[in-house]
Amino acid sequence: MLLKRITFGIITIGIISCNSSKKENTTNEATTYSSIKVVGAMKNVMWKGELGSSINLDTITDKNGLYGIGPLSFLRGELLINNGKSYVSKVTSDSTMVVEKQFNATAPFFVYGNVTEWIEEELPTNIKNSQDLEKYIDKKTTNFKRPFTFKLIGKVSSAIIHIQNLPEGTQVSSPEEAHQGQTNYPLQNEEVEIIGFFSTEHKGVFTHHDSFLHMHLITKDESKMGHLDAVEINKMKLYLPKK
């Protein structure tokens, strides 16, 4: 009887020890990629008219594996940092834009983070649009530290991106006023990269009130870049931060 009790005690201690170890490992794995940084807030731009500079991209010192998105100050363009390269897009006409590589740019709100290792997978063929993508990422990352950045690389059948182009001197106190001059650009059968940020806790900060995602798209030839409004996915790979 005594031997049974001792054996049971050893087994119990072993189980507790293993469970504790698993918990510790899970915690460590979930916090190995860097925290997302947020400057300013979308709602303050839309409702309070805070259009000026909250950050100069030149001041972000760690550009190794750096990703970030936001609008250009005074809503005169769009910003994207893709793996340490910074892009600024501006409207030149209803059907054309200019995309420049530069870090000398400011934003009224901006979200960014560093990722150097990714988990890569083929996106399932039933994921066709932004809504599908949001549900898929949310379900797949329940044990991730949130928020986080992700990216997609591949082909879209179609997409709509926009660039903010607020008339100079415009005062803003509502989303409707903030989107004056916004120019939409349709894309067809393009090879692209999409950089996105996922959060369930930042609606009105860096995602819109009805989404967990904020995404910017850049074409493979880097000639077009803007905020992604709608997409029909053809064949793409999804990249999530490696834990």
Side-chain angles (χ1 to χ4, degrees), residues 136-151:
Y136 181 75
I137 291 177
D138 190 20
K139 185 176 180 180
K140 193 172 182 66
T141 61
T142 53
N143 67 330
F144 277 48
K145 183 179 67 169
R146 297 175 169 184
F148 58 84
T149 187
F150 65 92
K151 63 181 178 179

Side-chain angles (χ1 to χ4, degrees), residues 22-37:
K22 286 179 181 178
K23 286 180 181 177
E24 286 174 6
N25 288 339
T26 301
T27 302
N28 289 337
E29 287 179 358
T31 56
T32 51
Y33 53 89
S34 68
S35 296
I36 296 302
K37 299 175 180 65

